[in-house]
Amino acid sequence: PSAVQLLLSSVGEPLDLAIAAQVVAATGGNPLALVDLAGELSVKQLMESSLADEPFPVGQHLEAFYVRRVRLLTDDLQLWLLIAAADSTGNVELIQDAADRLGLSEAMVDQAEAAGLIDVRGSASVVFRHPLVSSAAYNAAQGHQRRRVHRALATAAEKLGMIELEAWHSAKATLGTDPQVAQRLERVADLAGKRGGFASRASVLVQAATLTPEGGEKYARLVAAAEAALGSGAAQLAKALLDDVDEKSLDPVSHGRLVSVRAHHSIFTADPALKRAGAELLAAAAHFRGHDPDQEQVTLLQAFYFTLPAERLAEGMTLTELGQRLLDGADRHTGVGATILQALSAHILLPYAEAVPVMRRAVDAIAQLPPDLLLKFGLNSVVLTTALWDRAQRTSLLERAAAAARDAGSMQMLDAMLWTMSNAELKGGTPRQARHYMDQVRELRRAIGYDAEHVINVGLLAWTGVPRPEVESVAQSAGAVGFGGVLASGQAGLAVRDLAEGLYREAFNRLSPLVADPFLQVTPLEYADYVEAGTRCGRLDDVARYVTVLEDMAAANGSAWTRGVAQRARALISGQGAEPHFRAAIDDLTAAGIEVELGRTHLLFGEWLRRARRRRDAAEHLRRAAGIFDNAEAVAFSRRARSELEATGEQVGVDAAVNGRVGPALTVQELTVARLAAAGNTNAQIGATMFLSPNTVDYHLRKVFSKLGVTSRRQLVEHLPHPS
């Protein structure tokens, strides 16, 4: 980390942290090399060098030292070292075959090892003692010498059946452009993409573009490289690649892909342009029309999804215009994409009862998709399952899509999935699980080289006791950038906290603007809160109609979750006749597994019973509420439930969760590891989820065991809440 910071402080422009980390690795973290490179190479050159599958350049001060050391060797040994440095695999057989073709004896490998320059591991792999030795050996050679060596390596790779490596070395042996070699490299890039190697795909496509003559094909390959770079999490590199593209030379499909990458970049980097991301993607989809119907539909789906972060702040189109474009796009091509487009269009344009069966068909279709198609269509499932109030299906589809993104190595998509999962948990899930997913977002951001300290879920901050002014400030700042959804989530989260703390008028005032300007699937989830706030602050006439709206929605979608909150809302306006509605709400929410809403219903029913002087019955429901809130880490509601329970005459102990903690002083990373272990994951599975090695996971678990005073995972399950 200190070497990365040194490099970042030495360059004069923004640089992807992921790229900086690669530079550090390539130089062995040598401070002098980093400072020299920052002074000698532009940020663009640093990014381009990071893509090259060859030794990194050496700064001027160290170059003299290492090159001098290399040039003290015999000519044959220098040539052998050049071969070894030019080969990225360290494969002894490949290096020796190329050396044979250049007339070198097998004794060279022994001489290089005796000179302390390399290690030969298990007679199968050559590793340089320091990466700067490799850099010196490669960069000290003349261009014609390097090309000669790459030709020998290409021939050796072809003999050994290493098709991808042969194409790469053929490219490095080429002077100028060569369309045939470029075409072979593009096929190699496609293979890398199928394996989930987004960074490798970007690297190979850049090389293919370099070998491609000026024209549309060259720039199309740069656009594809930018797509892959963004997929790997290197957002700044993606932008730099797009900056080199001559848009006028692009065919319609490639131009659509360019516009799409720019929109994705604005979301990933929180660029204010995100307010127009949905409109930009509609424009991109228009480029695909008549050329690539499948890509047109995928881009239309992305246009819808990328409108969600901006919500009411979206620019360049209306929701009605978006809905009509989705409907038109559904007719372009058959398949699951068309089914989802029809559902999203229905969600926007049709009355709720008419939209429900269309949305249900799409959810059923998404549930049948294999992992590769979930990467294309999985994110849209959250909108449809939330609109249908189907928490079980929402969780299942998002977790499967996240697993598909992780397995494919798509860091950008996994980042989006985890963010979405954390936000979704605040409606129908638990703050505990929302925090769990945010911890994974932070681990992912760290793994791809980004600062994770400012990665926050504003709604979650509101739920977990962060001072109101801080939540307001973060929400307003997000809104200023264009994240209207974050702004609304912060206000809705604070309204829930107001309700928990009995600040009903404040809650009503926060929710009123949101309800007055509804946004798709988001706002109906706030109707029950609005009813509670309004009934408790004397605004019954303003909120009563939303009880009927919830009941009609429940009748249309058949969701026990919707029925439960509708029954609770009906209870709140029913006075002395509330009891059967409370009991029905408890039954429905228990069946649906909606923890926090169930706890809130027990709490409100317990309060109603206490005021009816039925203290024993009240205490039973208040105890249940307190337990649910503790498990869910709904801190403000835990405090209120205990306060109400004490009012019945019961003595109440202070649970750790009430103070915002579970267990003694576990770090965020330790808590995440502990929860994953408690859920039954192996160390390898936990490591894959958190981008840690199994040894690091084991280290964290030993610290957790020590802090909690347990000796086994079975005991751990008893000390931590099991993620729902």
Side-chain angles (χ1 to χ4, degrees):
S2 58
V4 169
Q5 289 304 313
L6 173 63
L7 177 60
L8 292 175
S9 65
S10 301
V11 297
E13 305 172 56
L15 176 67
D16 279 317
L17 291 182
I19 300 297
Q22 287 179 262
V23 176
V24 167
T27 58
N30 186 291
L32 187 55
L34 296 172
V35 172
D36 278 351
L37 288 171
E40 295 169 19
L41 299 180
S42 67
V43 165
K44 183 179 178 182
Q45 289 172 318
L46 284 172
M47 289 190 290
E48 290 174 346
S49 295
S50 74
L51 286 176
D53 197 4
E54 59 194 33
F56 214 82
V58 182
Q60 59 178 343
H61 292 99
L62 288 173
E63 182 176 29
F65 172 78
Y66 281 103
V67 169
R68 184 166 60 249
R69 186 176 179 188
V70 168
R71 285 178 175 164
L72 290 174
L73 306 172
T74 65
D75 290 345
D76 282 355
L77 187 50
Q78 287 186 54
L79 180 58
W80 188 93
L81 283 174
L82 175 57
I83 296 170
D87 169 54
S88 61
T89 67
N91 184 300
V92 170
E93 186 178 2
L94 176 68
I95 293 170
Q96 191 55 53
D97 191 292
D100 290 343
R101 295 177 189 280
L102 295 178
L104 300 178
S105 74
E106 293 186 6
M108 291 297 103
V109 64
D110 297 325
Q111 292 181 28
E113 191 168 28
L117 300 172
I118 65 163
D119 286 323
V120 180
R121 297 180 179 174
S123 75
S125 180
V126 172
V127 179
F128 279 87
R129 291 278 178 89
H130 195 284
L132 290 178
V133 175
S134 172
S135 295
Y138 189 82
N139 291 295
Q142 299 292 321
H144 70 88
Q145 293 174 309
R146 291 200 292 265
R147 288 190 292 276
R148 178 185 174 217
V149 162
H150 281 296
R151 277 193 291 272
L153 284 166
T155 304
E158 184 178 26
K159 174 186 174 183
L160 295 173
M162 299 176 175
I163 299 173
E164 297 177 43
L165 201 61
E166 184 275 329
W168 177 262
H169 283 298
S170 293
K172 301 305 292 183
T174 301
L175 185 62
T177 61
D178 189 322
Q180 290 184 332
V181 176
Q183 183 64 43
R184 283 157 56 198
L185 278 178
E186 189 167 32
R187 288 196 293 270
V188 169
D190 291 340
L191 291 173
K194 290 178 181 178
R195 291 196 303 268
F198 286 90
S200 296
R201 176 172 167 77
S203 173
V204 175
L205 283 170
V206 168
Q207 183 64 36
T210 301
L211 295 177
T212 306
E214 285 292 319
E217 191 171 26
K218 175 186 183 73
Y219 296 119
R221 284 168 175 160
L222 282 179
V223 171
E227 286 177 328
L230 191 60
S232 73
Q236 190 68 24
L237 173 59
K239 184 178 183 301
L241 292 171
L242 292 183
D243 289 343
D244 288 338
V245 173
D246 179 2
E247 295 185 39
K248 295 178 181 178
S249 300
L250 293 175
D251 62 85
V253 170
S254 296
H255 195 270
R257 292 170 71 182
L258 178 142
V259 175
S260 178
V261 174
R262 283 181 176 160
H264 282 73
H265 179 270
S266 70
I267 294 290
F268 189 74
T269 60
D271 189 297
L274 67 89
K275 289 188 287 188
R276 294 190 56 84
E280 291 294 327
L281 283 163
L282 285 185
H287 287 291
F288 297 125
R289 180 170 297 178
H291 302 282
D292 190 337
D294 181 64
Q295 189 61 39
E296 179 186 3
Q297 290 187 338
V298 169
T299 307
L300 286 171
L301 292 172
Q302 292 172 342
F304 177 91
Y305 187 79
F306 280 14
T307 302
L308 301 184
E311 280 194 12
R312 299 162 178 87
L313 300 180
E315 297 176 352
M317 65 181 180
T318 66
L319 280 178
T320 300
E321 290 169 344
L322 174 61
Q324 191 58 54
R325 289 280 277 109
L326 300 181
L327 186 60
D328 292 343
D331 295 333
R332 305 287 173 188
H333 193 48
T334 59
V336 68
T339 302
I340 300 172
L341 286 170
Q342 290 168 351
L344 294 175
S345 175
H347 179 39
I348 296 172
L349 301 176
L350 296 181
Y352 184 74
E354 296 178 31
V356 164
V358 187
M359 293 191 292
R360 178 58 66 189
R361 281 198 298 273
V363 170
D364 291 343
I366 295 172
Q368 302 302 315
L369 293 177
D372 60 324
L373 291 181
L374 272 176
L375 280 178
K376 292 173 66 174
F377 301 117
L379 269 175
N380 289 285
S381 69
V382 70
V383 175
L384 299 172
T385 51
T386 300
L388 292 167
W389 298 63
D390 187 346
R391 192 220 172 198
Q393 192 76 292
R394 183 179 74 185
T395 301
S396 172
L397 291 177
L398 285 174
E399 287 185 344
R400 285 182 55 212
R406 186 180 288 112
D407 291 344
S410 178
M411 300 297 98
Q412 178 214 3
M413 186 61 70
L414 180 57
D415 181 82
M417 292 288 183
L418 293 173
W419 270 102
T420 299
M421 293 160 81
S422 180
N423 286 325
E425 279 295 310
L426 295 179
K427 295 294 184 181
T430 65
R432 180 196 70 237
Q433 192 69 355
R435 190 200 306 274
H436 170 71
Y437 289 132
M438 283 309 300
D439 290 343
Q440 291 190 45
V441 172
R442 292 189 183 96
E443 294 299 335
L444 169 62
R445 288 285 174 123
R446 292 187 188 102
I448 61 178
Y450 285 88
D451 182 4
E453 297 309 312
H454 302 296
V455 174
I456 54 177
N457 180 333
V458 178
L460 181 60
L461 293 183
W463 269 87
T464 52
V466 173
R468 282 181 176 80
E470 293 183 27
V471 180
E472 291 271 16
S473 176
V474 174
Q476 293 295 333
S477 296
V481 175
F483 280 102
V486 175
L487 176 60
S489 175
Q491 292 300 320
L494 285 173
V496 172
R497 188 155 124 203
D498 290 337
L499 290 174
E501 297 177 359
L503 303 173
Y504 301 114
R505 188 166 303 280
E506 288 84 345
F508 180 82
N509 291 335
R510 289 186 195 278
L511 291 171
S512 290
L514 302 179
V515 173
D517 184 18
F519 187 82
L520 299 178
Q521 78 285 352
V522 177
T523 308
L525 298 179
E526 292 155 4
Y527 288 160
D529 294 341
Y530 191 51
V531 171
E532 183 178 345
T535 56
R536 293 301 175 88
C537 72
R539 304 296 293 269
L540 179 60
D541 291 343
D542 294 310
V543 302
R545 75 182 186 89
Y546 292 99
V547 178
T548 303
V549 171
L550 284 169
E551 290 171 339
D552 290 344
M553 294 185 77
N557 64 28
S559 163
W561 175 8
T562 324
R563 283 199 309 273
V565 296
Q567 286 283 4
R568 189 178 76 213
R570 177 61 65 184
L572 289 171
I573 67 171
S574 296
Q576 297 301 313
E579 184 166 355
H581 297 295
F582 275 127
R583 293 195 181 279
I586 288 170
D587 289 343
D588 284 326
L589 293 170
T590 300
I594 310 298
E595 287 183 58
V596 174
E597 297 294 349
L598 175 61
R600 291 177 64 180
T601 305
H602 279 297
L603 173 61
L604 290 170
F605 189 27
E607 292 175 340
W608 185 88
L609 289 168
R610 186 175 70 80
R611 286 158 180 75
R613 300 184 183 279
R614 295 165 58 182
R615 291 192 173 188
R616 181 177 298 178
D617 292 338
E620 177 186 348
H621 287 281
L622 293 171
R623 278 194 300 271
R624 291 181 184 177
I628 290 170
F629 294 142
D630 289 346
N631 188 59
E633 296 182 20
V635 179
F637 283 108
S638 290
R639 294 193 184 100
R640 176 166 160 183
R642 279 174 164 70
S643 177
E644 287 288 330
L645 197 52
E646 287 178 345
T648 67
E650 284 210 11
Q651 294 296 314
V652 180
V654 178
D655 190 276
V658 175
N659 293 320
R661 287 177 44 211
V662 177
L666 297 183
T667 67
V668 169
Q669 194 166 63
E670 289 166 355
L671 186 56
T672 304
V673 168
R675 283 175 174 154
L676 290 169
N681 293 282
T682 65
N683 284 8
Q685 290 168 329
I686 296 170
T689 297
M690 297 183 65
F691 302 94
L692 302 173
S693 72
N695 287 339
T696 302
V697 172
D698 182 66
Y699 167 75
H700 284 307
L701 274 178
R702 282 188 275 113
K703 291 182 69 177
V704 168
F705 287 176
S706 175
K707 288 182 178 182
L708 297 182
V710 300
T711 57
S712 71
R713 293 182 186 229
R714 181 175 297 178
Q715 292 173 309
L716 188 62
V717 172
E718 300 169 1
H719 284 72
L720 291 172
H722 194 291
S724 59

